[in-house]
Amino acid sequence: MNLDELTRSSGEWLRGTGPESDIVMCSRIRLARNLAEFPFTNRASRTEKSEIESSIRSAMQRANLELVYFDVNALPPLDRQFLVERQLISRELAAGEGPRGVAVGPLENIAIMVNEEDHLRIQVMLSGMALHDVWERINRLDDQLEEHLAYAFSTQLGYLTACPTNVGTGIRVGVMLHLPALAQTKQMEKVFRALQKINLAVRGLYGEGTQAFGDFYQISNQQTLGKSEPELIRILTDVVPQVIQYERTARQALMNEKRQHLHDQVSRAYGVLKTAHTISSEETMLLLSSVRLGINLGLIDDLEIATINELFIQTQPAYLQKIQGSELGVEERNVARASYLRSRLSNGRHVEPD
Amino acid sequence: MTCEQCQDVATVHLTRSINGERREVHLCASCARKSGLSPREKTPDLGLDAVVQSLIVSHVGELVGELANLTCPECQLKYMEFRARGRLGCPHDYRIFARGLGPLLNRAHGATRHVGKVARIRPDAAERLRLRAQLREAVLHEDYELAARLRDQLRLKGADA
């Protein structure tokens, strides 16, 4: 598998399967780990970073893990951006320096970043509300890697991380939710406040502040010390169903009180996406969110949810440039985006990308 | 000049124009204040020093003086550098800066003790971190003979693991 092959597939987490997948786009857990004998990445020399990278790559080989490694340091900026868009690496890793990379597992369910803020950032993602399954997988993966690596760990403080906000379990348990009805009825503020009170963070699709991006919100734990992994997962599995219920109630209210208005909004959004000849990224996100809501409410019946999920990622700048095979300016991207949308949505049928 | 009202020393002098007629007024500070003419005697103490101090304490911790000078022998990070950048330099820092980190962890996590998954204990990991620190120093001082010896030691230890 190479990067160009990645453009021809999409992550399993976009398939729209799994429990509650009309609202829960995906469940994700990441573990922060460091090798005991090296300074943290920010303090490691180039030689040390290179030794860290080779220790980890060798551990992955010895553990017989089915992973493909991308040497991010050697990748051109466009390819790094492409990996960010696919949620396989962070902006920090893309913008970093020195030896670093990411190992990607089958179906893009696994992404292991090397030499990010911590030596290892292990991530497992699955479509729908599936935190227990994700935990089982990532816990096993962590064990397999640890067979061949000495982790920095103290009995009092747990897994030691470059930033004390991650120390302890080093875990971030998150779910990505699509909450268009709560956003439209201006109730997100209320949700933010309630979640903050119980120390849960809310971020956008790409980890940005609280700015809505296609009405996707990631809810995750902030505290990592003093509570076990299952306890932290339980907080999420207790709270997320309440947010889901809240969104469902808001959707029902929209359907009962403003059905025509909503149907009109959804159909117009679909129409624009199918016919536009130039379209910005922001407008695309906004309209895709409406269409996604429309599919889930049965207002659009000739389009699969997986197609819409993929389009959130595949209308991003780097993806468009990758499939065009050349760098494009903003205007050219807007034209390429519209053309790509038309081809994927033509005649309302699900069209596989070439 | 004396105050028109109490014969004290006048410190406030102003010219008033009433119905086109100019009149000079000389008052002492206290009488001027009574007639609403003068600012208060001096700038009130807003307690800024205390405010700044409490900000430092809440952001940096009580032990600022003592902690500020702490440096990790393994990675050479100073506690103040950590406070400025928010990132620690190596696993050993958690022990070196324990007093500063304790209150900070408590604020961030509401806890200071790990509960949950336990890593395997690797008894020689700390020793290897120390050897690597020495190796870095040796390379920095271009003592390649020592560097080679340290690399051999690390290799030997690696073979045991």
Side-chain angles (χ1 to χ4, degrees):
Chain A
M1 181 168 64
N2 59 39
L3 266 183
D4 293 328
E5 283 172 50
L6 274 188
T7 60
R8 288 192 279 277
S9 64
S10 65
E12 184 276 342
W13 62 277
L14 292 166
R15 303 261 163 101
T17 55
E20 318 275 12
S21 58
D22 55 334
I23 292 176
V24 184
M25 184 86 141
C26 72
S27 302
R28 144 156 72 180
I29 295 182
R30 77 114 167 91
L31 298 173
R33 300 287 187 254
N34 287 281
L35 307 190
E37 65 179 274
F38 292 95
F40 296 135
T41 312
N42 72 81
R43 206 80 185 160
S45 66
R46 206 182 166 83
T47 319
E48 284 168 327
K49 281 194 212 177
S50 163
E51 285 181 74
I52 293 162
E53 188 183 40
S54 54
S55 305
I56 293 171
R57 290 191 67 174
S58 129
M60 292 192 275
Q61 267 160 18
R62 286 159 75 190
N64 278 321
L65 297 170
E66 199 187 324
L67 300 167
V68 178
Y69 191 78
F70 296 106
D71 177 356
V72 171
N73 196 33
L75 289 180
L78 182 62
D79 287 352
R80 292 179 196 167
Q81 182 57 30
F82 173 75
L83 291 172
V84 172
E85 287 176 5
R86 283 183 99 87
Q87 306 267 336
L88 293 172
I89 68 172
S90 61
R91 289 178 204 273
E92 290 71 30
L93 191 82
E97 55 177 34
R100 65 195 191 286
V102 64
V104 178
L107 302 172
E108 298 176 41
N109 284 331
I110 299 172
I112 305 173
M113 285 191 279
V114 176
N115 280 333
E116 212 248 23
E117 181 181 298
D118 295 298
H119 298 153
L120 276 160
R121 284 284 177 99
I122 309 167
Q123 164 180 284
V124 172
M125 278 201 280
L126 284 175
S127 179
M129 186 71 192
L131 283 175
H132 292 294
D133 200 359
V134 172
W135 168 241
E136 247 171 62
R137 289 187 193 211
I138 201 168
N139 191 23
R140 197 174 339 127
L141 182 57
D142 183 42
D143 289 342
Q144 286 171 305
L145 289 169
E146 201 195 354
E147 288 275 338
H148 311 283
L149 296 169
Y151 284 157
F153 182 88
S154 102
T155 41
Q156 201 206 323
L157 293 175
Y159 294 91
L160 304 177
T161 52
C163 183
T165 52
N166 295 315
V167 79
T169 53
I171 200 173
R172 179 133 297 147
V173 186
V175 287
M176 198 197 295
L177 305 176
H178 185 226
L179 304 173
L182 287 177
Q184 217 170 98
T185 54
K186 308 213 175 338
Q187 298 181 83
M188 277 314 297
E189 236 355 88
K190 230 190 288 178
V191 177
F192 287 150
R193 274 199 305 269
L195 293 173
Q196 263 162 15
K197 260 184 214 159
I198 50 171
N199 296 307
L200 295 178
V202 184
R203 295 185 183 81
L205 180 58
Y206 289 102
E208 66 273 28
T210 51
Q211 180 202 346
F213 193 93
D215 299 319
F216 284 105
Y217 299 89
Q218 298 186 60
I219 300 180
S220 60
N221 66 301
Q222 284 180 298
Q223 299 178 322
T224 54
L225 182 67
K227 288 191 181 71
S228 70
E229 294 85 351
E231 281 177 87
L232 289 164
I233 291 166
R234 199 175 313 120
I235 294 175
L236 267 290
T237 54
D238 281 350
V239 169
V240 170
Q242 296 178 45
V243 180
I244 294 173
Q245 192 46 51
Y246 202 29
E247 165 71 16
R248 287 200 202 291
T249 309
R251 287 182 183 191
Q252 205 48 57
L254 284 176
M255 281 293 267
N256 292 343
E257 292 153 29
K258 295 183 180 170
R259 190 188 170 103
Q260 255 179 339
H261 176 85
L262 185 66
H263 203 157
D264 180 67
Q265 179 200 323
V266 164
S267 303
R268 281 167 186 267
Y270 194 18
V272 170
L273 290 173
K274 278 200 285 194
T275 57
H277 280 258
T278 172
I279 190 165
S280 71
S281 179
E282 294 72 37
E283 187 180 4
T284 305
M285 292 295 123
L286 198 77
L287 300 180
L288 284 173
S289 179
S290 276
V291 170
R292 194 178 191 279
L293 177 66
I295 297 172
N296 285 325
L297 291 175
L299 300 173
I300 292 176
D301 57 8
D302 61 354
L303 187 59
E304 287 174 44
I305 197 82
T307 305
I308 285 296
N309 287 349
E310 283 171 13
L311 286 174
F312 278 105
I313 305 300
Q314 295 171 347
T315 52
Q316 300 287 320
Y319 181 85
L320 292 172
Q321 294 174 78
K322 285 292 286 180
I323 57 166
Q324 291 272 324
S326 61
E327 289 198 20
L328 304 172
V330 177
E331 291 301 323
E332 295 168 305
R333 284 207 299 269
N334 290 348
V335 170
R337 181 175 297 114
S339 153
Y340 185 72
L341 282 163
R342 286 199 312 277
S343 79
R344 292 293 303 273
L345 301 171
S346 58
N347 303 322
R349 281 179 286 106
H350 174 83
V351 180
E352 282 300 330
D354 300 333
Chain B
M1 198 167 286
T2 53
C3 175
E4 295 170 2
Q5 293 180 6
C6 69
Q7 313 307 312
D8 209 343
V9 181
T11 52
V12 178
H13 314 276
L14 71 160
T15 310
R16 273 180 162 171
S17 172
I18 298 164
N19 299 329
E21 202 179 307
R22 284 164 63 91
R23 190 171 111 69
E24 291 204 337
V25 183
H26 308 280
L27 297 166
C28 72
S30 139
C31 292
R33 229 179 3 266
K34 273 182 214 147
S35 38
L37 285 177
S38 141
R40 274 171 291 178
E41 254 162 63
K42 62 174 185 187
T43 320
D45 182 8
L46 296 175
L48 277 180
D49 284 351
V51 170
V52 170
Q53 189 57 39
S54 81
L55 275 176
I56 290 174
V57 168
S58 70
H59 287 275
V60 187
E62 298 280 355
L63 302 151
V64 68
E66 220 176 306
L67 271 170
N69 300 318
L70 270 183
T71 302
C72 172
E74 313 291 11
C75 71
Q76 309 303 320
L77 184 80
K78 294 187 182 69
Y79 184 72
M80 287 318 283
E81 286 178 274
F82 157 65
R83 290 312 312 233
R85 295 193 210 129
R87 298 286 177 276
L88 291 163
C90 77
H92 199 57
D93 290 351
Y94 278 97
R95 201 172 311 166
I96 303 295
F97 304 144
R99 271 189 302 174
L101 286 169
L104 211 138
L105 292 172
N106 209 12
R107 262 201 305 280
H109 302 281
T112 51
R113 241 198 130 72
H114 173 59
V115 180
K117 189 169 180 177
V118 174
R120 295 166 183 229
I121 300 304
R122 312 272 187 167
D124 61 346
E127 167 73 1
R128 290 177 65 85
L129 179 68
R130 198 176 55 76
L131 285 173
R132 286 201 179 275
Q134 288 172 0
L135 174 62
R136 248 194 326 276
E137 280 291 291
V139 172
L140 198 68
H141 294 106
E142 299 180 9
D143 187 345
Y144 298 115
E145 206 176 307
L146 175 63
R149 243 183 300 138
L150 289 164
R151 277 208 190 89
D152 284 344
Q153 280 188 49
L154 276 163
R155 237 191 313 273
L156 271 175
K157 291 214 163 271
D160 302 341

